[in-house]
Amino acid sequence: MAKRKFYNMMVPGDKECTIFIYGEIGECAEVKSSDIAQELIIANQKYEHVNIRINSIGGDVFTGLAIYNALKRCSKAHIYIDGVAASMASAIAMCGAPVEMSRHARLMIHSVKGGFYGTADEMESTVKEIRTLEETLCDMYARKCGMTADEFRAQYFDGEDHWLSARQALDMGFIDGIYDTDPVPENLTNEELYQTFNNRLDTKPQTILNMGLIDELRKDPQFKDCKDDAEILAKVGTLKSQAGGAAALAQENAALKRENQAFKEEKEAAFKAQKKQLLDDAEKCGRINASTRPAFEALLESDYEKGKAAIEALPATKRVIQDINRDQDGPDAWDKKQAEIREKYYNN
């Protein structure tokens, strides 16, 4: 099955086209730098206006830098932040083109994050590379909002995620204007907002609308309070998120069940070894023998405490005395005493 693309080019008229940067950024993710660059080349050649619409949680820094540089070369680009522009997606929006943000949207800025496995020298090299990338990104953000790179680093690259509303982003100079989109619920989380706008580009909600299934959804009590189609789609997105949470909980429960089963098996194995040791000790000291052992083993299986008490109540045979004498007088003491007794009482 071909991978469904979250971005594409739409041509609403002869003079204008729209490119969507919807989804995660990365060469192995939905939004690839090569794809966006190719569409920008076509758009720059054929159309007078190029709209770039962003709804992305971010992704790979190097892929994002390539997209950023491609956008800077497109003088016709006008950027719109529809839902979420987080992490590297927010840096792409700083490319110098006019950028507007939906009043419902969010902008998120934070330090570069990454990891590496290797030697100390290799890890130190990775840290240096992260520092260099942070300097580059600080310069990109600072140029847009009129701050120095050091000022920007101190305020935004402090290890925290900084979520900004459209009004905050405008006041700080990250965007040039605010525009309205189709209404969405005001209390959506960042993840729900991201999913809501992705659903508007996704073919599945469009299919639902075209097939008239939206009317069927309205009959469901869960959707009876939704005012319009946008709220229904937002509700669907919320339910999908909750289903994902339920799936995660189910996985956690399954893991706990596996751990509990392993503990039970370990406990049963230890109990089995304990019963075997009890029988071995009883047979060693002469309380039971090979012929009576199965009966006591069955008794232990049916009632361990009762079986243990029965075994311990049995008298020990002379083999115990033999073991004691062997410990005190040497390994042949008992045999010698037995020979002396036979000679004294049976030979006379």
Side-chain angles (χ1 to χ4, degrees):
M1 182 180 294
K3 186 175 183 180
R4 181 173 56 81
K5 297 181 179 179
F6 279 74
Y7 75 91
N8 61 11
M9 181 184 290
M10 291 172 48
V11 184
D14 295 335
K15 299 181 179 181
E16 181 180 3
C17 73
T18 300
I19 296 175
F20 291 89
I21 300 178
Y22 270 42
E24 186 176 351
I25 298 165
E27 299 312 314
C28 295
E30 294 92 350
V31 181
K32 302 174 178 62
S33 59
S34 58
D35 294 326
I36 298 300
Q38 290 174 15
E39 293 203 1
L40 281 171
I41 291 173
I42 297 171
N44 210 26
Q45 292 174 346
K46 295 183 63 175
Y47 303 102
E48 295 182 10
H49 304 287
V50 181
N51 301 316
I52 309 295
R53 310 202 77 94
I54 297 176
N55 183 42
S56 172
I57 58 175
D60 181 67
V61 175
F62 293 106
T63 299
L65 288 175
I67 295 173
Y68 172 90
N69 289 322
L71 285 170
K72 283 187 70 70
R73 293 192 297 271
C74 181
S75 58
K76 304 174 183 179
H78 193 123
I79 295 176
Y80 297 89
I81 299 174
D82 291 334
V84 172
S87 190
M88 196 59 211
S90 67
I92 290 174
M94 305 293 110
C95 67
V99 54
E100 296 183 41
M101 188 171 171
S102 163
R103 68 183 182 89
H104 306 290
R106 321 265 209 283
L107 189 79
M108 193 274 275
I109 303 169
H110 62 185
S111 307
V112 176
K113 296 183 179 180
F116 186 78
Y117 176 84
T119 65
D121 290 340
E122 289 171 327
M123 286 189 281
E124 286 179 1
S125 177
T126 301
V127 171
K128 290 178 181 178
E129 181 60 33
I130 290 176
R131 296 296 186 198
T132 301
L133 289 173
E134 286 187 344
E135 291 176 2
T136 299
L137 293 175
C138 279
D139 184 66
M140 290 160 54
Y141 286 110
R143 286 176 180 270
K144 179 65 178 177
C145 65
M147 301 171 67
T148 67
D150 289 339
E151 289 172 339
F152 184 86
R153 177 188 293 276
Q155 185 167 347
Y156 291 101
F157 278 19
D158 56 357
E160 301 293 330
D161 292 345
H162 297 273
W163 288 93
L164 306 178
S165 66
R167 173 51 59 186
Q168 290 171 325
L170 181 63
D171 292 341
M172 293 299 300
F174 291 114
I175 63 174
D176 303 298
I178 298 174
Y179 75 96
D180 283 341
T181 59
D182 294 335
V184 297
E186 297 288 346
N187 60 344
L188 291 182
T189 65
N190 298 321
E191 175 65 22
E192 290 169 343
L193 183 67
Y194 169 72
Q195 293 295 343
T196 296
F197 278 89
N198 257 11
N199 287 341
R200 292 182 177 182
L201 186 63
D202 196 344
T203 57
K204 291 180 181 178
Q206 293 171 0
T207 302
I208 290 174
L209 291 171
N210 293 338
M211 293 176 62
L213 295 182
I214 199 79
D215 295 328
E216 294 299 318
L217 289 176
R218 289 185 184 280
K219 299 176 183 178
D220 191 303
Q222 297 182 85
F223 300 94
K224 64 182 180 62
D225 295 327
C226 294
K227 299 177 182 178
D228 51 30
D229 294 348
E231 286 195 16
I232 291 178
L233 294 179
K235 181 73 172 180
V236 170
T238 300
L239 293 174
K240 287 172 64 178
S241 298
Q242 292 173 348
L249 183 60
Q251 291 178 351
E252 183 178 351
N253 288 338
L256 289 174
K257 287 181 179 179
R258 289 193 296 270
E259 292 179 6
N260 185 52
Q261 181 63 29
F263 174 76
K264 288 174 61 177
E265 291 175 356
E266 182 179 352
K267 186 177 179 181
E268 289 174 0
F271 188 43
K272 183 177 181 181
Q274 182 179 348
K275 289 184 287 188
K276 182 179 182 301
Q277 187 64 49
L278 178 62
L279 292 167
D280 289 345
D281 291 344
E283 189 171 355
K284 182 177 180 181
C285 70
R287 285 191 169 98
I288 64 174
N289 54 40
S291 61
T292 59
R293 177 169 178 147
F296 285 101
E297 186 174 4
L299 183 59
L300 288 173
E301 288 293 333
S302 62
D303 189 332
Y304 175 79
E305 294 299 331
K306 184 177 180 180
K308 180 181 178 183
I311 291 173
E312 291 176 345
L314 294 172
T317 68
K318 59 188 177 183
R319 291 177 59 189
V320 176
I321 301 174
Q322 180 181 0
D323 290 340
I324 294 173
N325 287 332
R326 283 181 178 177
D327 292 338
Q328 293 176 347
D329 304 325
D332 299 326
W334 178 260
D335 293 335
K336 290 179 180 179
K337 289 180 180 180
Q338 291 294 317
E340 290 175 357
I341 292 171
R342 283 195 298 273
E343 184 178 356
K344 180 178 180 180
Y345 292 100
Y346 294 103
N347 294 337
N348 292 330

